[in-house]
Amino acid sequence: MPAFSKKIIAAIKSKTGDFTRKELIDELIGRPAEKRKRKGKKAKPHSPEQDASILEETVEGIVAAGLVKRKKNHYRRIHSFILEGKIRINTSGNGTLSIGDDEVVIRKEDTASARNNDLVSAEIIDLRKGIFYGAVQKIMQRDRDQYFAKVVHTARDLVIYNLLDVPGSQEVCSPLTETAPEPGDMALVRLEQGFIRDRQRCSVISLFSPDDDRYDLDRIVMKHSLPAPHRDYPELSDVRNLVHDPGRRKDYTRLLTVTIDGENAKDFDDAISIEKDDAGYLLYVHIADVSAHVRRDSDLDREALNRGTSYYLGNRVIPMLPEVLSNDLCSLREGVDRLTLSVEMRIDRGGEIRGHSFHRGTIRVAKRLTYNRADELLASGEKSRLHDMLAVMYELTALLHSKRIAEGSLELNLTDEALIYENNVVTDIQYIERLKSHQIIEEFMLCANVIVSRALRQAGVPSLYRNHEAVSAESLLSLKNFLRQMNIPFRTTGSAGANIQKVIRAIAGTEIEHVVNLIILKSLMQAYYGASPEGHFGLGFADYTHFTSPIRRYPDLVVHRCLKSLMDKTASPYSLDELIFIGDKSSDMERVAQSAERDFVKIKSCRLMKDRVGEVFQAMVSGVSRYGFYVTLADAPIDGMVPLWVLTDDFYLVKEDEYTVVGKRFGRRFRIGDKITVRLTSVEIERMIIDFDPA
């Protein structure tokens, strides 16, 4: 017999007008209860009191979810109980759909073969213990029909493949041909309609060796549904005359202006200039005026919103804007005039910003510097205008940095990694050395972001902000427990930022610095884009937004438009609801980009390690989970796991709260931060997994 709560929902869905609780009771409880059988024996039906309680709980849950409206003693269904959206499938095969702030669970048997991120129509069929359950009625649009797969084996007249990068284990098949692939071969397949012996049918687009790294980029793009190449946009047909902003511009072309970026950068968002006098410094931060070239609500603008950001995968970029804009017309290239939105800041000798102004500008970059070249110039002591300007810039940078740390900003010492290429093949992964030139750009961009955010907030102009909430009490307690394991004192009372920064200073330069900084980072909340200014805990700023990278981040483009409305004293270009939507969408796409970039590093790490199975490495325990513990190699930013099942000398217990794995009988312990010698035991490129065991 169906669950009684299912009957209640079915009865409510059938109502076309007002109904009362009494009518539901009469319909569902008033008649004799059906007898149910369980394990061949008669089971007692619910008592009327129990059924009435279930009915009351179910109706209240439906009302709270906004599916039914209550007015005094009457109810009216105001929702079809049909949902449309992208289903998220987990590793167990169950799925979820969102309904407002709630989630509807779709059991594996009710997914109707929907796959992760498919657009589906589903019907709500049950509510139990506050959880809605549904069933997929129709797959409206497949997220994709192409997948990377691994050949598992052949079975009579079929080739069996296991799909990669999907939740759980999903097998598909294709007819066996004369050129049968070998088990372990990789394939790009297209799923087709129909099943053969309970496996979905597919066709093979291409077969290749698992050692062929040319497909790595395509695999990550496909796994994360990253954007396809830009199409042609009508508004770019006459791109050289594509300027939608007739506002007056300030001429900065006589200033000595530079860009400082990475070796392979082409999308130059920002340029800087500086002047020094007896009162202090006049800092100029020039940002590419993308809003002068991209009209709001145009096809190009909507595509930029959908992308949200540019995606950086090794030496390849999937740009938010077409390359004619991102690498040329908007990019602040050396020796050519470019349009900017510029911030002038008057800063005294104590690092305090005493005044500011915003201008539409025109600049001409005198020199395109890389981080390495700028650092070399700073250290050279050569007599030149360029060296002297960089020296003044670093002088101001040191002031701004000291002031920021003193006022509560956290300075985590975590360096990014870089993939090293030779002839378009990754040959190494290295930590990026943090240079003085990196610090110059960081401090100057922070200044501009703060000033723009403060100006928009004080003027009451609706805009987007970059928010970072304070660390939660629960996370602080967890962090304290971890630090206690490391014999590091930590207070949970008083200023959380000051207490955390005290720890960071205490472990600076020690062997455990990296892992402690990593755990602190994991304790912090994720930053996000919001329509109200909530401040930035990590940076210690009451005002903060993203303004300085409009070529590669959509929120920055939005902030430019809002700032121009402030400068022009015109109505805000966005409503609050629009900003909330853009903020949520941009935050989501930022997470996608981060996940894709991590996966690209993972797959390249696997390729670097696959021929080194059996070798011994020095490492540090960098994390603990119920499946084992993670290690990071000492000489390269490559991570792997020591699975619990390889520890056969004892029965090991995982104490996640203590960041420790410990043997029950002999007490052998592996704790986060411990140095350890490990042996590489396996590398699975298809799963992007590296496993070690203690050597």
Side-chain angles (χ1 to χ4, degrees):
M1 171 185 170
F4 186 55
S5 52
K6 280 189 176 182
K7 284 192 169 187
I8 298 168
I9 289 195
I12 292 174
K13 286 192 291 188
S14 69
K15 304 298 181 185
T16 57
D18 288 356
F19 61 93
T20 65
R21 180 175 174 275
K22 183 178 183 303
E23 289 171 352
L24 282 178
I25 290 174
D26 290 344
E27 179 181 344
L28 297 170
I29 304 176
R31 59 194 179 201
E34 299 178 51
K35 293 184 178 180
R36 294 175 293 172
K37 293 185 178 181
R38 184 174 57 193
K39 296 183 180 180
K41 296 181 180 180
K42 290 184 179 180
K44 292 182 180 180
H46 285 150
S47 69
E49 291 78 12
Q50 288 175 309
D51 285 342
S53 176
I54 294 172
L55 187 146
E56 184 72 26
E57 181 181 330
T58 303
V59 171
E60 288 302 314
I62 292 171
V63 170
L67 304 177
V68 168
K69 186 176 181 180
R70 176 172 53 199
K71 188 174 182 181
K72 294 185 178 179
N73 295 326
H74 287 76
Y75 298 87
R76 176 181 287 270
R77 179 169 59 83
I78 58 174
H79 194 282
S80 65
F81 283 66
I82 302 294
L83 305 173
E84 291 183 3
K86 289 192 173 184
I87 190 169
R88 297 186 299 279
I89 306 291
N90 61 27
T91 53
S92 64
N94 297 320
T96 56
L97 274 176
S98 295
I99 173 173
D101 293 331
D102 297 317
E103 283 194 335
V104 177
V105 174
I106 314 289
R107 292 189 179 94
K108 184 177 181 179
E109 59 269 24
D110 293 323
T111 59
S113 299
R115 294 188 292 274
N116 194 49
N117 280 328
D118 283 352
L119 182 63
V120 302
S121 172
E123 182 180 16
I124 296 172
I125 60 173
D126 201 358
L127 173 63
R128 297 193 197 182
K129 297 182 179 179
I131 299 173
F132 282 102
Y133 292 86
V136 172
Q137 303 298 303
K138 181 181 179 182
I139 299 172
M140 303 171 68
Q141 182 180 333
R142 291 287 190 186
D143 175 57
R144 53 191 171 107
D145 62 359
Q146 293 185 19
Y147 291 83
F148 282 90
K150 179 181 180 180
V151 177
V152 180
H153 60 88
T154 58
R156 291 189 292 177
D157 55 345
L158 296 177
V159 180
I160 311 301
Y161 307 86
N162 192 48
L163 297 183
L164 303 183
D165 307 321
V166 297
S169 178
Q170 299 183 36
E171 289 188 347
V172 297
C173 64
S174 69
L176 184 63
T177 62
E178 292 183 2
T179 55
E182 295 293 327
D185 283 351
M186 307 294 280
L188 178 60
V189 302
R190 177 180 288 110
L191 302 188
E192 298 181 344
Q193 295 293 328
F195 289 78
I196 304 176
R197 294 199 284 275
D198 296 327
R199 294 185 179 93
Q200 187 162 359
R201 185 186 182 99
C202 73
S203 59
V204 178
I205 299 171
S206 61
L207 284 166
F208 56 96
S209 164
D211 295 329
D212 191 340
D213 67 352
R214 292 175 298 174
Y215 290 88
D216 290 348
L217 178 68
D218 292 339
R219 180 179 167 189
I220 299 303
V221 168
M222 190 173 292
K223 176 181 178 180
H224 295 278
S225 301
L226 301 188
H230 278 284
R231 56 185 171 82
D232 292 331
Y233 301 94
E235 61 250 54
L236 295 183
S237 58
D238 188 13
V239 69
R240 294 296 162 185
N241 295 316
L242 184 67
V243 178
H244 303 299
D245 186 345
R248 293 180 58 187
R249 294 194 173 269
K250 188 170 182 177
D251 186 354
Y252 293 105
T253 57
R254 289 181 173 82
L255 277 176
L256 179 58
T257 301
V258 297
T259 60
I260 307 177
D261 288 275
E263 300 283 342
N264 301 312
K266 296 179 181 177
D267 50 350
F268 305 122
D269 287 284
D270 56 89
I272 50 178
S273 318
I274 198 167
E275 296 173 339
K276 184 180 178 182
D277 56 25
D278 292 340
Y281 310 86
L282 183 57
L283 173 63
Y284 303 83
V285 174
H286 311 285
I287 306 300
D289 191 357
V290 176
S291 62
H293 301 282
V294 179
R295 191 189 299 274
R296 193 196 160 194
D297 288 333
S298 64
D299 285 349
L300 179 55
D301 186 50
R302 286 190 289 270
E303 178 63 21
L305 168 61
N306 286 332
R307 292 175 179 238
T309 185
S310 293
Y311 303 83
Y312 296 87
L313 304 173
N315 62 354
R316 298 287 296 276
V317 180
I318 301 173
M320 183 181 80
L321 298 172
E323 289 188 5
V324 68
L325 293 178
S326 62
N327 292 359
D328 186 8
L329 198 60
C330 292
S331 186
L332 306 182
R333 296 165 54 209
E334 180 181 322
V336 293
D337 289 0
R338 286 291 181 258
L339 306 183
T340 63
L341 203 50
S342 297
V343 185
E344 297 183 18
M345 289 167 278
R346 167 59 69 178
I347 305 174
D348 67 21
R349 291 182 175 272
E352 194 73 41
I353 300 175
R354 295 299 182 183
H356 69 269
S357 58
F358 307 116
H359 306 273
R360 291 174 174 85
T362 302
I363 70 166
R364 185 181 305 133
V365 171
K367 192 68 177 176
R368 179 270 203 261
L369 296 173
T370 65
Y371 288 112
N372 287 331
R373 179 56 184 150
D375 215 61
E376 290 169 0
L377 278 169
L378 272 170
S380 69
E382 72 174 47
K383 300 297 182 181
S384 68
R385 286 184 66 205
L386 192 55
H387 168 271
D388 292 347
M389 184 180 73
L390 288 172
V392 172
M393 286 180 171
Y394 187 68
E395 180 180 282
L396 175 58
T397 293
L399 281 174
L400 294 171
H401 179 264
S402 296
K403 183 173 181 294
R404 179 166 62 85
I405 297 302
E407 292 178 353
S409 184
L410 300 182
E411 184 82 336
L412 291 173
N413 188 14
L414 289 170
T415 55
D416 294 329
E417 66 270 347
L419 299 175
I420 308 303
Y421 283 83
E422 289 183 15
N423 299 321
N424 215 34
V425 175
V426 174
T427 58
D428 198 5
I429 303 178
Q430 298 176 358
Y431 287 113
I432 298 174
E433 182 184 0
R434 183 168 166 77
L435 306 174
K436 290 181 178 180
S437 51
H438 288 112
Q439 296 174 49
I440 289 172
I441 294 300
E442 179 179 285
E443 294 299 334
F444 290 1
M445 297 308 113
L446 289 175
C447 275
N449 287 335
V450 167
I451 289 299
V452 170
S453 176
R454 185 180 301 156
L456 290 168
R457 176 185 60 79
Q458 290 177 343
V461 176
S463 184
L464 277 182
Y465 297 89
R466 181 66 168 177
N467 295 328
H468 186 223
E469 296 174 359
V471 61
S472 68
E474 182 181 358
S475 293
L476 276 177
L477 185 58
S478 178
L479 178 60
K480 182 177 182 177
N481 290 337
F482 161 71
L483 293 172
R484 184 171 61 244
Q485 301 297 318
M486 309 295 288
N487 296 316
I488 300 171
F490 180 68
R491 294 177 57 194
T492 54
T493 57
S495 168
N499 293 337
I500 292 173
Q501 188 60 43
K502 186 176 180 180
V503 170
I504 294 171
R505 285 196 299 268
I507 51 90
T510 67
E511 293 179 344
I512 60 172
E513 180 179 19
H514 178 79
V515 72
V516 172
N517 275 266
L518 190 62
I519 295 299
I520 290 174
L521 178 64
K522 291 179 179 179
S523 300
L524 302 179
M525 306 290 281
Q526 282 191 314
Y528 65 94
Y529 295 104
S532 61
E534 305 295 339
H536 198 291
F537 172 79
L539 292 172
F541 294 146
D543 294 289
Y544 197 64
T545 191
H546 274 172
F547 161 79
T548 54
S549 297
I551 291 177
R552 62 183 179 89
R553 288 190 307 228
Y554 191 77
D556 301 53
L557 176 54
V558 170
V559 170
H560 276 226
R561 291 170 176 154
C562 295
L563 181 61
K564 283 184 177 180
S565 76
L566 172 62
M567 294 164 60
D568 299 339
K569 299 180 181 178
T570 58
S572 172
Y574 296 96
S575 69
L576 182 61
D577 286 344
E578 287 174 323
L579 290 168
I580 291 172
F581 172 79
I582 294 170
D584 290 345
K585 173 72 173 177
S586 299
S587 297
D588 289 343
M589 298 316 295
E590 178 185 33
R591 309 284 182 257
V592 171
Q594 291 168 344
S595 183
E597 289 160 14
R598 281 195 299 267
D599 274 351
F600 193 75
V601 172
K602 279 184 186 178
I603 199 169
K604 292 305 183 184
S605 297
C606 288
R607 293 208 177 277
L608 287 173
M609 300 295 286
K610 68 183 177 63
D611 294 328
R612 304 184 69 179
V613 172
E615 290 188 32
V616 173
F617 301 87
Q618 298 303 310
M620 178 179 286
V621 178
S622 55
V624 172
S625 82
R626 58 178 176 166
Y627 303 109
F629 59 89
Y630 297 96
V631 295
T632 301
L633 300 189
D635 59 355
I638 293 177
D639 299 318
M641 174 175 257
V642 177
L644 212 56
W645 61 266
V646 306
L647 304 175
T648 57
D649 61 328
D650 200 345
F651 180 78
Y652 281 85
L653 302 174
V654 176
K655 298 184 177 182
E656 290 189 68
D657 290 344
E658 299 179 10
Y659 301 89
T660 301
V661 174
V662 60
K664 188 174 181 180
R665 287 187 299 164
F666 304 119
R668 187 184 185 189
R669 185 189 68 177
F670 301 96
R671 186 182 67 176
I672 195 167
D674 286 351
K675 286 186 173 182
I676 182 175
T677 303
V678 293
R679 180 180 291 103
L680 180 61
T681 56
S682 69
V683 176
E684 296 184 50
I685 293 175
E686 63 271 18
R687 295 172 62 202
M688 293 186 254
I689 288 176
I690 299 173
D691 280 347
F692 298 92
D693 65 14

